[in-house]
Structure formats: structure tokens, C-alpha cells
């Protein structure tokens, strides 16, 4: 209990610093409601700081659901439906942008790849459920000509990460529960230097179904030209 108690105290001390750092009116505009600009579905991972990665320093801007493998869906008695954490802000807080955010070196994608290629699921069942939902995505990717299985596993995993982001974004765009006027973007958060040498960069890999990095770059100001890399196409 000693080590646990020490960390508990660290959490409380950290929250105290947070409280003391906030301006007096920090929550004034969102205390009775929220209208976030975007909902960003990220992978559950301690290395992916959801709000901090966008430079957000005030509440109410980004609605931040997350799960294993940044999956936009859930299983409802055998049917895949858009996850409520994504749909809630779209239907109830006037949010009209959805971002799917994967990350380099994703453990969920790694587990799904190994399961798809004859390995065991990692366990326990609460984890396996989400990994199993990723397996068909990985299998589809492997069957395509986009994944270079002749290279090392690390490269394959990162290609699958980007493929999964595209696949999740496509599911959102095709869902009847997501209005046509909602923009859907796909990003890969890179803290390993896979896409370039800017660690922590969220590389834009999909804009409403467009995956060509050159075409995406043309949609953006020149200052963001280096943020549109792809390792898949």
C-alpha cells in the first residue's frame, strides 16, 4: 500500500497544482453546457495526450473519447454501430468535425496483427473484445497491396495503424448516423519519428476520404505542408 499511497498523494498534489494554475473564469463559459468544435477518437494510451497534442489550453474545445485501437464503432448484438462517445457530441453538442487519431507503435494494432497471423489474443476478455474487432481490419489490410509484409514487423504495424485510421474514418463517413455535413479527418500521432523528425506531430493522413498526401497538402496553408505525410500510399 505504501507505493500506491505515495502515487495517490502525487495525483492529489498534481490536481492541487492544476487547481491553483487555473484562471478564476476558466470554466465560466462551459459550466452549464458544451459545444466542442471536434470529437477526437484516440487510442487508449498514456503516450497520447489528447488535449495537449492540439495545444488546447481551455475546456470545451475537444470532446475526447478513447478506446483500444481508436475504434469508432462498438458491437451491438453482432452489429457494428458508431460508438456513443463519438455520436453524442455530433448529435447533442453541435459538433461538426470528427477526428480519428491513431498513433505509431500501437499495441492494439500489434495484438490484432499477431492474432490475424496465427498468434494468441493478449487477454483478458475486456481487452480481447476490442482486439477481435480490429482483426478483420488487419486481415483486409493484409489482403490488399498496401501493406509490405516483406519488411520488418515494426514497419508493418505502422502501416496497419494508418490503414486502420483510414478504415475507421470510412466507417464514420458511410454511417447513416453521421450527418453528411460532418467533416471526418484522420491523423497518426507520431512520437517515434516514423513519419519525420518532428516528434509529437499529428500527421494528417485523411480528409473526408482523400488519402493522397499531395492532394491534402493543397488544401492547407504552406506552413502545414510537412504535416501531411503518409507511409501507406
Amino acid at each position: 500500500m505504501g507505493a500506491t499511497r505515495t502515487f495517490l498523494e502525487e495525483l492529489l498534489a498534481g490536481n492541487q497544482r492544476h487547481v491553483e494554475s487555473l484562471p478564476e473564469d476558466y470554466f465560466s463559459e462551459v459550466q452549464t453546457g458544451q459545444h466542442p468544435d471536434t470529437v477526437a477518437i484516440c487510442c487508449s494510451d498514456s503516450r497520447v495526450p489528447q488535449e495537449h497534442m492540439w495545444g488546447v489550453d481551455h475546456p470545451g474545445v475537444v470532446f475526447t473519447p478513447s478506446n483500444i485501437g481508436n475504434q469508432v464503432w462498438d458491437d451491438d448484438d453482432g452489429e457494428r454501430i458508431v460508438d456513443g462517445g463519438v455520436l453524442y457530441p455530433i448529435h447533442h453538442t453541435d459538433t461538426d468535425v470528427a477526428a480519428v487519431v491513431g498513433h505509431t507503435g500501437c499495441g492494439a494494432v500489434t495484438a490484432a496483427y499477431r492474432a490475424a497471423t496465427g498468434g494468441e489474443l493478449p487477454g483478458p476478455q475486456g481487452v480481447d473484445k476490442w482486439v477481435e474487432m480490429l482483426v478483420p481490419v488487419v486481415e483486409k489490410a493484409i489482403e490488399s497491396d498496401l501493406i509490405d509484409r516483406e519488411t520488418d514487423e515494426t514497419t508493418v504495424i505502422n502501416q496497419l495503424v494508418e490503414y486502420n485510421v483510414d478504415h475507421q474514418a470510412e466507417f464514420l463517413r458511410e454511417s447513416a448516423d453521421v450527418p453528411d455535413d460532418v467533416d471526418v479527418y484522420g491523423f497518426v500521432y507520431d512520437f517515434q519519428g516514423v513519419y519525420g523528425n518532428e516528434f509529437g506531430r499529428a500527421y494528417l493522413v485523411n480528409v473526408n476520404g482523400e488519402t493522397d498526401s499531395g492532394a491534402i497538402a493543397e488544401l492547407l496553408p504552406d506552413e502545414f505542408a510537412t504535416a501531411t505525410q503518409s507511409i501507406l500510399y
Side-chain angles (χ1 to χ4, degrees), residues 180-204:
D180 292 339
D181 61 353
V182 172
D183 286 315
V184 179
Y185 305 140
F187 296 88
V188 177
Y189 184 72
D190 184 6
F191 53 81
Q192 298 175 324
V194 172
Y195 285 75
N197 59 5
E198 297 179 297
F199 291 79
R201 172 75 70 183
Y203 287 91
L204 181 61

Side-chain angles (χ1 to χ4, degrees), residues 122-166:
Q125 180 56 33
V127 173
D128 287 350
K129 169 194 171 180
W130 291 94
V131 173
E132 286 179 312
M133 287 196 293
L134 272 182
V135 169
V137 179
V138 169
E139 291 174 337
K140 184 176 180 180
I142 291 173
E143 292 170 0
S144 74
D145 60 357
L146 296 173
I147 306 301
D148 181 10
R149 293 193 65 197
E150 300 301 317
T151 187
D152 60 279
E153 184 182 75
T154 297
T155 300
V156 170
I157 296 305
N158 285 318
Q159 289 178 329
L160 288 171
V161 165
E162 186 173 327
Y163 185 96
N164 181 48
V165 166
D166 287 339

